[in-house]
């Protein structure tokens, strides 16, 4: 028998027992409310939310538990709160015969969003050392400051090469910004 990967959340949830479906619907709504800008997708065969194109949090339904995957960093930050549950490095199992800790799930999703925002704001870390120095010497440390310059102006900085521009354009695009024309 060939197993098929569901194409969306509704298909995934519909394939599970009714009691698990209801819990997953609550988890889904909790995450959507905590991070309204997150996008639903299926990743690794389970429901996932992406935020700014990056993995935010995953969840899955099983016979006796709900698995939540907020990557290792999300679980490390909530180690105390998760200590009473069975867990792995980047996963936790919430038994379905106990109340689902929706408040904790919301906190974990919001934490991951802030973490991804912080990483997005650190666009300089993706660049070579000469490119970082060139931008810093010009007083550019944020994407908003970068957007005030044209591609030509940035390319004229000593230490900036043509391979840097696509990285900068990608970082700007994630924030809804563009180089000055």
């Amino acid at each position: 028998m060939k197993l098929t990967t569901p194409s969306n959340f509704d298909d995934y949830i519909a394939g599970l027992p009714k009691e698990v479906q209801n819990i997953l619907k609550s988890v889904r709504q909790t995450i959507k409310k905590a991070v309204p800008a997150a996008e639903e997708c299926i990743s690794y065969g389970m429901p996932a939310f992406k935020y700014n194109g990056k993995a935010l949090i995953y969840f899955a339904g099983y016979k006796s538990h709900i698995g939540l995957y907020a990557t290792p960093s999300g679980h490390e930050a909530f180690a105390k709160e998760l200590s009473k549950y069975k867990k792995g490095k980047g996963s936790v199992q919430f038994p379905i015969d106990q109340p689902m800790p929706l408040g904790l799930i919301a906190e974990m999703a919001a934490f991951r969003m802030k973490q991804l925002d912080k990483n997005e704001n650190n666009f300089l870390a993706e660049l070579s050392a000469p490119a970082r120095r060139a931008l810093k010497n010009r007083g550019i440390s944020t994407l908003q400051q970068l957007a005030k310059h044209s591609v030509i102006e940035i390319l004229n900085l000593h230490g900036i090469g043509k391979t840097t521009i696509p990285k900068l354009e990608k970082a700007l695009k994630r924030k809804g910004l563009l180089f000055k024309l």
Side-chain angles (χ1 to χ4, degrees):
M1 182 170 155
K2 184 177 179 181
L3 297 176
T4 59
T5 302
S7 60
N8 58 52
F9 275 34
D10 293 328
D11 289 348
Y12 180 91
I13 292 171
L16 296 167
K18 201 63 151 171
E19 62 274 7
V20 176
Q21 287 181 23
N22 292 333
I23 296 169
L24 288 183
K25 287 175 184 176
S26 296
V27 170
R28 177 188 194 180
Q29 290 304 320
T30 296
I31 295 169
K32 284 173 81 167
K33 187 175 179 183
V35 186
E39 298 175 33
E40 294 182 351
C41 66
I42 297 292
S43 184
Y44 300 107
M46 68 181 109
F49 282 93
K50 288 188 175 187
Y51 177 74
N52 288 338
K54 307 262 183 183
L56 177 77
I57 197 166
Y58 304 78
F59 63 92
Y62 299 96
K63 183 178 178 181
S64 62
H65 70 276
I66 302 299
L68 187 78
Y69 312 88
T71 76
S73 62
H75 294 279
E76 291 164 4
F78 293 90
K80 182 179 176 185
E81 293 88 340
L82 297 173
S83 63
K84 64 182 178 181
Y85 301 104
K86 183 177 179 181
K87 57 191 171 306
K89 184 178 179 185
S91 65
V92 63
Q93 296 179 8
F94 299 121
I96 63 168
D97 62 354
Q98 295 177 17
M100 194 59 40
L102 298 175
L104 177 58
I105 292 169
E107 287 180 50
M108 292 174 75
F111 170 83
R112 287 285 297 133
M113 178 189 69
K114 288 176 188 169
Q115 194 176 44
L116 291 173
D117 277 340
K118 183 179 174 186
N119 291 344
E120 290 289 315
N121 290 332
N122 193 12
F123 72 100
L124 293 171
E126 300 175 20
L127 306 178
S128 67
R132 284 194 307 271
R133 278 193 301 275
L135 292 172
K136 285 182 181 180
N137 288 341
R138 184 66 185 258
I140 299 170
S141 60
T142 68
L143 291 170
Q144 289 76 13
Q145 292 168 334
L146 179 64
K148 293 178 182 178
H149 298 276
S150 70
V151 171
I152 301 297
E153 291 171 325
I154 298 301
L155 278 172
N156 284 331
L157 298 176
H158 180 71
I160 300 286
K162 288 183 180 182
T163 60
T164 304
I165 298 302
K167 293 176 185 176
L168 294 174
E169 287 175 328
K170 185 176 179 181
L172 286 167
K173 186 177 179 182
R174 286 190 302 247
K175 288 294 182 185
L177 300 170
L178 299 168
F179 278 113
K180 181 178 88 175
L181 297 177

